[in-house]
Amino acid sequence: MNTPSESAPADDALERLTWFVRLRWLAIAGVLVTLPAAWFLLRLRFQPIPLLGVTAGLTVCNVFFQQRLRRPASPAYRLGLARAQIILDLLALVLLLYFSGGVENPFSFYFVFHTAIAAIIFPGLGSLMITCLAFGLYALMVVLDWSGAIPHFPLTGLYAVSPHRTAGPVLANLFAFGSTLYIVRYFAAAISRRLSRRTEELAAANRRLQEADRTRQQYIVTVTHELRSPAAAAASLLEVLDRVGPEERPGLVDRARQRIGGMLRLIEDLLDLHQLELGTTKVETAPVRVAATVEAAVAEYAALARERDVAVRIELPSELPPVQANARYLEFTIRNLLSNAIQYNQPGGSATITARATGGLLEIAVADTGIGIPPADLPRVFDIFFRGNEAKKTSRLAPGLGLSLVKRLVETQGGTVWVESMAGQGSRFSFTVPIATTPEAV
């Protein structure tokens, strides 16, 4: 039989067990109504006492199942209870058919209901075994009745001549009965599996939506905080201008200007990131000389490197092919990685820029001897607004947008970006850019 993980969807199947018990009450009521109707209205003759005995036994069992379902139980126990109910129903139905004519009784196809229910609750091997059990019980009853091995309980008044001892009608009945059961089981199980997969897909989509909503809310909170901090700092600096001497004012104004400039850069980065996420930005590429871009970035951060006591090295091959890239995007990527390599470094450390051609791509790397990144933070390094615990301990104020932008800018140009790092031993950020197929470069 199936394990709980094999059933289609287990929670829905377990909820149907109470409905299953109600159906059995309906079936019991149907038997009690059908017996007198067949006797008095249709003038059919049969042995009512055995049929009433089977119905009474089914009633007792249904009361037992109903009481069991009211008790707390594990999914595995309840699935076992479902199997027991289906098997009991199959036995009861075989007995009801046997005591009311056997193959003469047209209600033999009621087995289809149990086959379909089994396929819904156990769409795998379990439903196939239950289908085989249903067909086996019915076939055994029909064959034993046909061979005379068990007494025959006739259903008088339905057939002029009873077919239960005629091989042709018996075999035709068994073929029609068995093929119907297996066809119903196949389609019911297939539909159940498809619905189960669809339910799982919808549940996964719902989880993604919830996660996206949480991310959006966190995004709003973070952006608000990142914009408020420099704005509040600039406002505080401007407020004290009237209370300080003329010699101190230029310094305060310069600090306020830096805060406002940082806020404007953050807004620009957010707009760029948003456009990249939407895919509304048309990326225009052209052949670009990497060496010139690297040298410009190193010159820009030379003062910062001296201030931080970090040696910046350029180790590029003499024959470096141009790349097919957006010059502004490439410049931002190199500048950002170099800035991080300097600011998250240690006094006396170094930052090295290298490049090598590999296939149709140029791999550019910026390695440093700085604080490094713990393994737990590596998968989230390129997430928006993410800053690792080690980065937060430094004096650098940064919202955590740079690497997110780097990743999207590189991917927009057809490359990939990755990082190799160990805490306390430095980091190596690498990215690829397609090599230009034309020699002209800017």
Side-chain angles (χ1 to χ4, degrees):
M1 294 282 181
N2 292 51
T3 62
S5 61
E6 292 173 322
S7 62
D11 292 339
D12 292 341
L14 295 177
E15 290 175 2
R16 293 191 187 107
L17 291 181
T18 302
W19 170 74
F20 204 13
V21 169
R22 292 182 185 141
L23 280 182
R24 193 174 295 106
W25 285 125
L26 183 62
I28 291 170
V31 171
L32 295 178
V33 171
T34 301
L35 291 181
W39 187 278
F40 295 107
L41 298 179
L42 301 178
R43 302 295 181 178
L44 300 178
R45 293 298 177 261
F46 45 84
Q47 297 292 331
I49 300 303
L51 296 173
L52 291 174
V54 173
T55 305
L58 190 60
T59 302
V60 172
C61 292
N62 206 36
V63 171
F64 170 78
F65 288 131
Q66 191 172 39
Q67 294 299 321
R68 284 289 177 180
L69 288 176
R70 291 175 180 173
R71 300 178 183 178
S74 66
Y77 175 81
R78 290 194 172 182
L79 286 174
L81 200 62
R83 297 188 190 102
Q85 290 187 71
I86 292 175
I87 293 172
L88 171 71
D89 286 343
L90 294 178
L91 292 171
L93 186 54
V94 166
L95 290 175
L96 288 173
L97 291 174
Y98 170 63
F99 290 124
S100 57
V103 74
E104 302 169 3
N105 196 316
F107 288 96
S108 59
F109 286 89
Y110 272 33
F111 277 96
V112 166
F113 296 122
H114 296 85
T115 302
I117 292 173
I120 293 172
I121 300 179
F122 313 106
L125 182 60
S127 64
L128 179 60
M129 295 179 67
I130 289 174
T131 303
C132 291
L133 177 63
F135 179 70
L137 289 172
Y138 180 77
L140 179 64
M141 181 266 294
V142 170
V143 170
L144 291 177
D145 193 19
W146 169 73
S147 65
I150 56 177
H152 177 65
F153 289 81
L155 183 61
T156 305
L158 189 62
Y159 294 97
V161 178
S162 174
H164 79 284
R165 289 291 177 88
T166 307
V170 168
L171 292 176
N173 179 274
L174 287 177
F175 175 78
F177 177 82
S179 60
T180 301
L181 286 190
Y182 286 104
I183 290 173
V184 168
R185 180 263 165 191
Y186 172 79
F187 283 107
I191 293 172
S192 180
R193 283 193 295 267
R194 181 172 296 181
L195 290 175
S196 178
R197 286 195 298 269
R198 183 59 178 163
T199 300
E200 292 173 359
E201 291 172 358
L202 291 174
N206 184 55
R207 288 193 296 270
R208 288 194 296 271
L209 287 174
Q210 292 177 345
E211 181 62 29
D213 186 63
R214 286 192 294 269
T215 302
R216 180 186 62 83
Q217 294 177 0
Q218 182 62 36
Y219 181 91
I220 293 173
V221 171
T222 305
V223 169
T224 303
H225 173 76
E226 294 296 337
L227 290 175
R228 184 183 61 182
S229 296
S236 299
L237 291 168
L238 294 176
E239 284 178 1
V240 301
L241 281 178
D242 295 336
R243 300 195 294 270
V244 300
E247 68 281 357
E248 297 180 31
R249 290 177 183 175
L252 293 176
V253 172
D254 186 61
R255 288 167 59 188
R257 185 183 296 112
Q258 291 178 4
R259 293 289 186 173
I260 295 173
M263 184 169 60
L264 291 175
R265 285 193 298 273
L266 174 60
I267 293 173
E268 291 174 358
D269 288 348
L270 286 170
L271 291 175
D272 288 342
L273 187 60
H274 179 64
Q275 291 175 352
L276 288 170
E277 291 286 355
L278 292 179
T280 57
T281 302
K282 183 179 179 180
V283 181
E284 296 181 356
T285 63
V288 179
R289 291 191 180 92
V290 174
T293 305
V294 170
E295 290 168 359
V298 171
E300 180 179 351
Y301 288 104
L304 178 63
R306 286 194 299 270
E307 178 186 336
R308 302 282 297 180
D309 190 20
V310 174
V312 179
R313 302 188 181 96
I314 301 176
E315 298 179 0
L316 303 179
S318 57
E319 298 295 330
L320 198 62
V323 295
Q324 189 71 25
N326 181 284
R328 187 170 69 89
Y329 288 2
L330 181 63
E331 179 184 355
F332 178 91
T333 301
I334 295 175
R335 285 174 52 248
N336 183 272
L337 296 180
L338 180 60
S339 173
N340 288 346
I342 294 173
Q343 298 196 63
Y344 292 115
N345 217 313
Q346 302 170 6
S350 64
T352 306
I353 304 175
T354 59
R356 67 184 183 95
T358 169
L361 300 171
L362 188 71
E363 180 183 314
I364 304 171
V366 179
D368 63 64
T369 58
I371 61 175
I373 304 170
D377 291 344
L378 285 174
R380 301 186 58 198
V381 161
F382 297 102
D383 290 353
I384 186 170
F385 290 122
F386 177 76
R387 292 189 74 205
N389 292 328
E390 294 301 318
K392 292 176 182 177
K393 294 176 183 178
T394 65
S395 59
R396 184 188 182 192
L397 296 176
L401 280 175
L403 290 178
S404 297
L405 266 173
V406 164
K407 183 175 187 295
R408 285 156 180 80
L409 292 176
V410 169
E411 291 176 349
T412 300
Q413 298 172 93
T416 56
V417 60
W418 66 96
V419 59
E420 303 163 272
S421 181
M422 291 186 65
Q425 299 184 26
S427 304
R428 178 185 174 90
F429 284 85
S430 306
F431 67 96
T432 58
V433 189
I435 294 176
T437 56
T438 56
E440 294 81 8
V442 297

